Amino acid sequence: MSEFGDVPQAPPVAVFKLSADFRDDSHPQKVNLGVGGTEGDLACSPSAYRTDDSQPWVLPVVKKVERLIVDDATLNHEYLPILGLPDFRSAASKVALGEDSPAIKEGRVGGVQALGGTGALRIGAEFLRRWYKGVNNTATPVYVSTPTWENHNAVFADAGFKDIRPYRYWDATKRGLDLSGLLEDLEKAPGGSIFVLHACAHNPTGTDPNQDEWKQMAEIMKRRNLFVFFDSAYQGFASGSLEKDAWAIRFFVSQGFELFVAQSFSKNFGLYNERVGNLTVVARDGDNLGRILSQMEKIVRTTWSNPPSQGARIVSKTLNCPQLFAEWQANVKTMADRVLLMRDQLKSKLQALGTPGTWEHITQQIGMFSFTGLNPNQVAFMIKEKHVYLMASGRINMCGLTSKNLDYVAQSIHDAVTQVQ
C-alpha cells in the first residue's frame, strides 16, 4: 500500500477548470470570457491579455530587448544575488513609487526580486508572520477584500496566518464600491491589523476607489495603525498611465506609511511565463530597511535560493533605458486602450439592445476584469445555452471580447438577463 493512499484529491482551480471545459466544447461560436484564452491554450493565465484575434501578444519592446540580450557577450548564467538583479529591483521600485520619490532619495526603499507577484506576496507574508509585531505579537488578523483574488487567502494562510478576515468592498446592488462598509471595517479592525489592498484594477471587480476615497481610507489606516500591503499587478495596464495607476501607492507613502508593494510584470510586460515580480519595501529609515532585507534574504534562501535572470533582465534593460522605457509605455497603452474600447462597445451594445438594468458599471470599472452583475443562474445559462464561458461570480476577462464576438456576447447577455431570473 502507498504511504500516500489517504491523500485526498484536491478540487480543481475554478478558472483553469473553466478553460478546460471551454477547450472540450465543439460549438463553433464558443467564447472564453473566463481567461481570454484561445482553444489551443493548455493552461492559460486567468489574467492573460489577448489581441483582437484572440492571440497572445509579445510586446515589440520585449522582442527588441530579447535580441539585445542574446547579442550581449558580457552576459553569462552565473547565479544572481539572493535578493535579485540590483538594477531590476531599483528600477521596479521607481516604477511603483516614482523617479523622484522622497522615500527613495532618503534611502529607505528596497526591493526583493520574486517569482511573479505571487512570490512577492509570499515573501512579504512570510516576513510579516515571523517579524511583524501586529496584534498581541501572535494573532495578527489579515484582511482581504470581499471579493478578492482567490490566492490572497491561500498565500497568507500558507505563510502561517490563522486569522484571515474579509473587509467589505463590492456592493452588488449598486454594482460599485461599498465605501461605507469598507470604511467601517477599517475603523473596527484591531490596531496593527494587516490589510491587503489592490493598488489599481481591483481583481475581480474592476472597481477602484477614487482619489478622495483613497484619502479617507489612508486617514483611518494611519490613525488606527493598520499595516498596508499593496498588490500591484496591473500598473499601466489599467488606465494606460503608470502614474495614474500608482497614485494610491504614492499617496500612502507620502503620508508616512511603512508598507509593502507586491509588483507583477506579467501583464504590463506580457511576461507571464518568466515570473517576474518585485517586493518593494518602504521602511521608516535606512537602518530598518537593512535589517528587513537581511531577514528577507534568509527567507528567499530557503524558498528558491536565487531568482532567475531572463525576465528580470528584460524588464531591467527596458526600465533603465529612456528610449526603451518610452516604447514600453506605448506598448502598455496599446493593451489598455483595447480593453477600454471593449468596455465601451459592450456597454453600448447592451444599451442598444435595451437590456434591462444599468450597464454604466462596465465603463466605470477599470482593468482586465469586469463584474457584470450576472447571477449564477444567468451564468449557467450563458455557458450551457450560449457556450459563453465566464466565472460563476459573473466576472469576465475583457480581453476575451473581440470585434468578431462582441455582438454574439452582447446578445447572449441580453438573453440571459431577459430569460433567466
Side-chain angles (χ1 to χ4, degrees):
M1 294 181 62
S2 172
E3 295 290 344
F4 308 107
D6 293 332
V7 175
Q9 178 69 39
V13 178
V15 70
F16 293 111
K17 174 64 165 58
L18 189 75
S19 184
D21 291 343
F22 169 80
R23 287 197 311 273
D24 293 339
D25 190 338
S26 60
H27 194 273
Q29 286 186 289
K30 67 177 181 177
V31 180
N32 187 355
L33 299 182
V35 295
T38 61
E39 184 171 358
D41 288 337
L42 296 179
C44 75
S45 165
S47 53
Y49 176 79
R50 293 294 183 263
T51 68
D52 194 52
D53 293 321
S54 296
Q55 297 300 314
W57 190 47
V58 179
L59 275 61
V61 71
V62 169
K63 289 183 177 180
K64 180 181 293 186
V65 174
E66 285 177 327
R67 287 193 291 268
L68 292 175
I69 290 174
V70 168
D71 293 336
D72 188 343
T74 68
L75 296 178
N76 54 48
H77 294 285
E78 289 295 313
Y79 289 113
L80 293 184
I82 294 174
L83 291 181
L85 188 67
D87 288 347
F88 162 75
R89 293 158 51 207
S90 60
S93 293
K94 287 178 183 178
V95 166
L97 304 185
E99 185 79 26
D100 298 324
S101 170
I104 293 177
K105 293 180 179 180
E106 292 162 7
R108 55 190 183 90
V109 175
V112 179
Q113 184 182 333
L115 301 187
T118 304
L121 284 165
R122 181 56 190 265
I123 295 300
E126 184 69 28
F127 173 85
L128 291 172
R129 199 266 303 163
R130 295 185 187 188
W131 296 105
Y132 180 59
K133 292 181 180 179
V135 180
N136 297 326
N137 292 340
T138 56
T140 303
V142 177
Y143 284 80
V144 298
S145 65
T146 304
T148 193
W149 179 49
E150 62 181 13
N151 234 8
H152 280 154
N153 291 275
V155 165
F156 282 88
D158 284 356
F161 284 94
K162 305 299 183 184
D163 189 3
I164 301 174
R165 306 179 185 181
Y167 63 85
R168 283 171 284 180
Y169 193 88
W170 173 253
D171 186 327
T173 301
K174 71 176 185 180
R175 298 182 180 181
L177 181 67
D178 182 2
L179 180 63
S180 61
L182 169 55
L183 297 180
E184 184 178 351
D185 287 344
L186 290 175
E187 289 281 12
K188 290 183 176 180
S193 296
I194 298 166
F195 272 75
V196 180
L197 304 178
H198 300 234
C200 66
H202 182 272
N203 180 1
T205 70
T207 296
D208 289 348
N210 60 37
Q211 292 186 6
D212 286 338
E213 291 164 343
W214 277 118
K215 289 178 181 179
Q216 293 179 64
M217 294 166 61
E219 187 279 324
I220 297 172
M221 298 186 82
K222 188 173 184 179
R223 173 165 45 81
R224 300 281 301 130
N225 192 34
L226 304 175
F227 187 83
V228 178
F229 198 145
F230 276 109
D231 186 352
S232 181
Y234 300 96
Q235 186 182 353
F237 193 97
S239 68
S241 166
L242 293 173
E243 288 70 29
K244 183 176 181 180
D245 292 347
W247 187 90
I249 297 172
R250 297 175 186 183
F251 177 75
F252 273 73
V253 173
S254 76
Q255 298 304 296
F257 282 84
E258 287 187 290
L259 53 79
F260 292 171
V261 184
Q263 299 171 263
S264 169
F265 293 94
S266 295
K267 293 83 180 175
N268 55 20
F269 266 84
L271 293 172
Y272 303 103
N273 64 3
E274 294 290 352
R275 309 308 299 136
V276 187
N278 185 64
L279 177 63
T280 287
V281 176
V282 181
R284 186 68 60 205
D285 52 46
D287 179 64
N288 274 286
L289 176 66
R291 288 184 282 107
I292 290 169
L293 292 180
S294 74
Q295 293 296 336
M296 288 186 172
E297 188 173 46
K298 291 182 66 176
I299 296 169
V300 171
R301 180 60 175 161
T302 60
T303 306
W304 52 70
S305 188
N306 304 78
S309 66
Q310 178 71 3
R313 281 174 174 162
I314 292 171
V315 175
S316 178
K317 283 183 175 292
T318 303
L319 298 184
N320 286 298
C321 171
Q323 293 78 18
L324 293 172
F325 183 75
E327 185 175 344
W328 172 61
Q329 287 182 289
N331 291 171
V332 172
K333 192 172 187 305
T334 295
M335 294 188 288
D337 285 350
R338 189 180 104 69
V339 173
L340 292 170
L341 177 63
M342 290 298 100
R343 286 186 178 279
D344 184 68
Q345 292 189 355
L346 178 61
K347 183 185 77 170
S348 296
K349 289 183 182 297
L350 290 171
Q351 291 174 335
L353 288 168
T355 308
T358 176
W359 298 97
E360 292 296 328
H361 60 286
I362 298 294
T363 51
Q364 291 170 350
Q365 296 166 356
I366 195 169
M368 193 172 285
F369 300 117
S370 174
F371 248 34
T372 59
L374 297 176
N375 63 44
N377 290 334
Q378 292 165 340
V379 170
F381 172 87
M382 292 274 287
I383 294 174
K384 182 178 180 180
E385 303 297 332
K386 300 296 182 177
H387 305 271
V388 177
Y389 290 78
L390 64 161
M391 300 299 291
S393 63
R395 187 201 80 176
I396 63 174
N397 183 338
M398 299 303 298
C399 296
L401 292 172
T402 71
S403 57
K404 302 177 184 65
N405 66 30
L406 195 57
D407 286 328
Y408 180 72
V409 170
Q411 184 63 56
S412 297
I413 293 175
H414 177 83
D415 292 345
V417 172
T418 54
Q419 297 177 30
V420 182
Q421 295 300 312

